[in-house]
Amino acid sequence: MDLGDFEPGSDERPTSDSDAGEDAPPTDAGEPASSGEASESPGDPGASTDPTSDGGEATGPDVDFESYDASPAGEDRGLGAIAVSQGLRVAEDGDETTLRAYVTTDNRDTVRLGKYLLVPYPDDELLFGKITALEYAQEFQTDDATEIHARRAMRRDEFEERDYKFVAELDPLAVLFEDGDASGEDEDAALKRRMVDRVPKPGAIVTEATDPDQIKTGLKIPGDGIFLGHLSVGGEKVRTAAQPPTIDYRLRDDYADGDPLLFRHTLVAGGTGSGKTHATKNVLRQLLADDRTYEMDDGRDARLAVVQFDPQDEYAQMHDDNPAMDPATARRYEREGIVHGGHDDTLALVPKEDGISYGGGNHRAEQLAFTIPFSMAQDRPWLVAGSSLNENQYPALRQLLNRFFGEYGDGGTYAEFLTFLDNPALKSELDEAGRVHEATFDAVKRRVRGIPDGVFDQSARPITELDHQLVRPGGLTVIPTYHLSTSRAKELFVLAVSSMLIDDKLSNAPDSARIKETPLLLGMDEAHNFLADADTVQARKVISKFTEAAKQGRKERLGLCLVTQDPQDVAESVFKQINTRLVLNLGDEDAIQSVNIPPTLEDKVPYMEKGQAVVYSPDNSEPVELVGLPVCLTRHGE
């Protein structure tokens, strides 16, 4: 003890807190300065009353103090104990909950924000929670913002932990209990969770959660399903006493509690270099596992088909094994039930544009070219709306297309439609009949001629004849668009194929039974380029189609997986139907706010390293942090 200006043996004592400095005794005699066990009370038989004996230190004549042992016999358990100095309260309104734990000196360096903890109740139930705040509090009532205190601190070599209290604030997440034989003889009792409905006892020991079953139950993480990553806190994997020592986070993929969350739609959001394509490939590889099937309305179990739009020519690499995966990593993934390796049934279905070639040299997947037949414009007039059309021009375009296909049949081509519009007699006829005004006719003609040349009716098989190649149970179809000449050409191909899939999936009279009868995931990278809100008629038609798909996809076994670095640009009508959000590093504040995740997770997003993510899936689990797999399950990159 530093007595300052007082000499050993002096009878003088500090008369005020400021004089006492940092070594003044606690003012609350009912709460010891150290978390130890009390020695025998002076009133006990055999207790020493000699103020100079080992029972305590005398500070004056005829004064007895109860002694506290800061290092009790035995081994410490846990991190600390529940404190009541500022109240102890759990409430339905989380803002009114007061749950704090005193952390002992030896444990202070190991606790972190977000760490999962357990607090026992007397009847063996457990309170499961996490650390939401950490603070140092003064142990003694003294003014530590003084010259003397500062100079003393500056002369010390080490920080004196025992001069301060270290307190963790806890967020109670659930009560864990065993659901089995009340006598306790049921060895197969299942661990269950319920909402927090009781307060722990003062002084209850607080321990770190290290049992995988307790952690998964506390966070409501399913035991089986689609692997997304490993549970983490602050970018470090949560370690347990089990083997493997990590906690696998899985997305519910069965019908036990409703439809699989795959068909409730998924968003993967992340900035450039955050690892969103790497993460998406790993998710898709799990979905394409040989043993993964989905029940259809007719009672069949069918494998999922995946159609992925690929603006960077990366997803066809999923055909190939990852040369960076060593045998030890492969064995580790196998022990955790994570499917890895190239997917043989991968097809690159390549859009054909006149005069434009596709390289495809970075993968070994089979390639098949296709074209968009102009006949698709009969039901999708917005495919030939080269630029904005107003409310009068769009109906005029529909009339012209109906007239054209009535004369030319389903085999009419885009070139023939342009010739059809060049007929001055047609323009006069429609104007005189009051069906299409001359000015409107000319406006529609300009818009139609504004679409890219070389997209419709090229020397390849029409996509309408390739439904069995496009959708294959257990197959991955990748549609690369990076090689196309313009963004408008890319948009045409993506919207033509996606609208074909959505229409057949949701229709009661589909053109393709294969599409209708196969569970399907429609993946779209750079989704903000195709699903952004706009004022044009054709844009609103596209948004309405995807909105319909998002709303009805669950019952039709149609899931959307949207990948984007600009989630704020995705139309709200589509976005609000998404249940699962996997958010990697995003630097833009508007983008972070748009993903609609809890504020505690929002604050972490800008600081996450590559591969780190937060997942918010309310129908699956509590919101958590994840670390993705460091090695991609298939080939990725050059």
Side-chain angles (χ1 to χ4, degrees):
M1 177 182 294
D2 183 2
L3 297 178
D5 296 331
F6 296 98
E7 298 296 330
S10 172
D11 290 334
E12 296 183 87
R13 288 181 294 163
T15 59
S16 68
D17 290 340
S18 60
D19 291 335
E22 62 185 349
D23 292 317
T27 60
D28 185 358
E31 192 168 333
S34 302
S35 59
E37 296 176 357
S39 67
E40 292 181 322
S41 169
D44 291 342
S48 174
T49 59
D50 183 357
T52 62
S53 69
D54 293 338
E57 180 184 359
T59 59
D62 302 324
V63 177
D64 289 337
F65 284 97
E66 185 177 5
S67 173
Y68 290 87
D69 185 0
S71 301
E75 184 178 351
D76 287 347
R77 293 176 291 134
L79 300 176
I82 292 295
V84 297
S85 57
Q86 295 187 25
L88 178 56
R89 172 188 176 94
V90 294
E92 291 183 349
D93 184 349
D95 293 337
E96 296 183 2
T97 292
T98 302
L99 185 60
R100 296 161 62 86
Y102 174 82
V103 181
T104 56
T105 304
D106 293 342
N107 292 307
R108 295 177 181 183
D109 290 338
T110 64
V111 295
R112 295 288 186 274
L113 289 177
K115 178 162 285 196
Y116 299 107
L117 304 177
L118 294 170
V119 182
Y121 293 105
D123 56 1
D124 294 333
E125 291 188 341
L126 295 170
L127 176 66
F128 179 84
K130 67 176 180 178
I131 300 175
T132 57
L134 295 168
E135 69 169 341
Y136 279 102
Q138 288 182 211
E139 174 69 14
F140 308 122
Q141 289 191 354
T142 181
D143 184 359
D144 60 1
T146 65
E147 184 75 10
I148 294 176
H149 188 93
R151 286 181 177 272
R152 285 176 177 172
M154 293 166 67
R155 291 173 186 147
R156 288 176 175 170
D157 293 331
E158 296 181 356
F159 174 68
E160 293 291 341
E161 284 280 357
R162 66 178 57 228
D163 289 349
Y164 299 89
K165 298 176 183 177
F166 190 69
V167 180
E169 188 169 322
L170 310 184
D171 177 21
L173 299 177
V175 172
L176 307 183
F177 64 98
E178 289 189 348
D179 184 18
D181 186 356
S183 66
E185 298 177 356
D186 185 358
E187 297 181 357
D188 297 324
L191 191 64
K192 297 290 186 68
R193 76 190 297 269
R194 68 171 187 269
M195 66 174 290
V196 178
D197 56 4
R198 54 192 302 207
V199 65
K201 299 297 183 183
I205 297 173
V206 178
T207 60
E208 182 178 354
T210 59
D211 180 89
D213 191 29
Q214 290 177 340
I215 296 174
K216 279 197 167 188
T217 302
L219 294 172
K220 203 175 67 170
I221 300 174
D224 298 307
I226 306 165
F227 176 85
L228 296 188
H230 290 109
L231 188 67
S232 69
V233 172
E236 296 183 4
K237 295 179 184 178
V238 173
R239 298 287 174 174
T240 72
Q243 285 297 330
T246 51
I247 301 290
D248 55 319
Y249 182 93
R250 296 183 181 269
L251 194 67
R252 181 168 55 78
D253 197 41
D254 56 32
Y255 296 88
D257 298 310
D259 294 312
L261 292 177
L262 166 69
F263 303 121
R264 299 280 300 278
H265 318 304
T266 305
L267 173 77
V268 181
T272 301
S274 64
K276 61 181 181 296
T277 302
H278 178 131
T280 304
K281 283 185 176 182
N282 286 344
V283 172
L284 296 181
R285 186 63 189 91
Q286 303 307 298
L287 293 173
L288 294 166
D290 293 343
D291 59 351
R292 192 174 297 280
T293 61
Y294 299 91
E295 183 181 347
M296 304 301 289
D297 288 339
D298 58 6
R300 292 179 300 113
D301 286 333
R303 293 184 64 189
L304 182 76
V306 176
V307 176
Q308 176 70 40
F309 294 102
D310 185 2
Q312 300 297 333
D313 200 31
E314 296 177 294
Y315 289 89
Q317 292 180 330
M318 290 182 63
H319 174 275
D320 307 328
D321 292 341
N322 188 351
M325 184 175 295
D326 57 77
T329 301
R331 288 193 296 271
R332 185 167 68 250
Y333 289 170
E334 288 165 4
R335 286 196 299 270
E336 294 192 58
I338 302 171
V339 179
H340 63 86
H343 186 63
D344 292 337
D345 191 1
T346 299
L347 171 67
L349 201 57
V350 182
K352 173 72 173 179
E353 183 180 5
D354 187 33
I356 304 296
S357 62
Y358 170 70
N362 66 339
H363 64 82
R364 293 181 296 141
E366 179 186 355
Q367 299 177 27
L368 177 64
F370 75 93
T371 187
I372 302 174
F374 186 67
S375 60
M376 292 186 71
Q378 290 185 75
D379 300 322
R380 305 168 182 87
W382 38 266
L383 286 176
V384 290
S387 59
S388 177
L389 294 177
N390 62 34
E391 296 291 347
N392 293 324
Q393 294 164 354
Y394 191 74
L397 175 60
R398 294 190 66 94
Q399 285 197 47
L400 290 170
L401 286 169
N402 290 337
R403 176 75 173 262
F404 170 75
F405 285 111
E407 295 181 10
Y408 285 77
D410 292 343
T413 66
Y414 174 66
E416 290 172 335
F417 185 57
L418 295 180
T419 301
F420 172 78
L421 294 179
D422 285 337
N423 184 355
L426 175 65
K427 181 170 68 172
S428 298
E429 175 193 338
L430 294 176
D431 181 56
E432 292 173 2
R435 300 178 67 184
V436 180
H437 191 276
E438 285 186 346
T440 302
F441 187 100
D442 289 338
V444 171
K445 182 177 176 179
R446 288 193 302 270
R447 304 298 194 273
V448 171
R449 288 187 176 277
I451 67 173
D453 293 332
V455 171
F456 290 105
D457 309 314
Q458 297 303 302
S459 57
R461 291 184 63 185
I463 188 63
T464 50
E465 298 177 4
L466 293 173
D467 57 323
H468 280 60
Q469 288 79 11
L470 178 63
V471 174
R472 306 179 313 283
L476 168 63
T477 300
V478 179
I479 301 178
T481 58
Y482 87 100
H483 64 291
L484 300 174
S485 62
T486 64
S487 59
R488 179 57 178 158
K490 296 176 183 181
E491 184 181 69
L492 274 173
F493 279 104
V494 170
L495 297 181
V497 176
S498 60
S499 64
M500 172 182 163
L501 292 169
I502 293 171
D503 287 343
D504 276 349
K505 246 319 185 176
L506 303 184
S507 174
N508 292 324
D511 294 329
S512 169
R514 165 62 71 86
I515 295 175
K516 178 69 174 179
E517 296 171 359
T518 305
L520 175 65
L521 178 71
L522 183 57
M524 181 177 286
D525 211 327
E526 296 190 3
H528 54 278
N529 289 335
F530 308 104
L531 297 176
D533 274 320
D535 295 330
T536 63
V537 172
Q538 62 270 37
R540 289 199 295 270
K541 293 291 183 182
V542 174
I543 296 300
S544 66
K545 190 170 293 295
F546 270 83
T547 301
E548 185 181 8
K551 289 180 177 179
Q552 300 186 34
R554 175 170 51 176
K555 66 179 182 179
E556 298 294 345
R557 306 297 187 266
L558 170 62
L560 302 179
C561 180
L562 307 182
V563 185
T564 179
Q565 61 184 351
D566 297 314
Q568 72 274 20
D569 291 337
V570 176
E572 183 180 359
S573 59
V574 176
F575 196 98
K576 67 183 182 181
Q577 301 297 326
I578 293 172
N579 182 271
T580 301
R581 297 159 197 185
L582 187 67
V583 183
L584 296 95
N585 179 277
L586 284 169
D588 184 80
E589 185 176 346
D590 291 338
I592 295 172
Q593 292 180 349
S594 71
V595 293
N596 295 329
I597 59 178
T600 53
L601 297 183
E602 279 189 4
D603 295 340
K604 300 175 184 292
V605 169
Y607 302 99
M608 292 190 301
E609 300 291 336
K610 183 175 182 178
Q612 290 180 233
V614 296
V615 60
Y616 182 52
S617 184
D619 291 336
N620 190 66
S621 74
E622 297 286 342
V624 296
E625 297 177 58
L626 300 181
V627 172
L629 298 176
V631 180
C632 192
L633 299 176
T634 66
R635 186 177 176 185
H636 180 61
E638 297 299 328

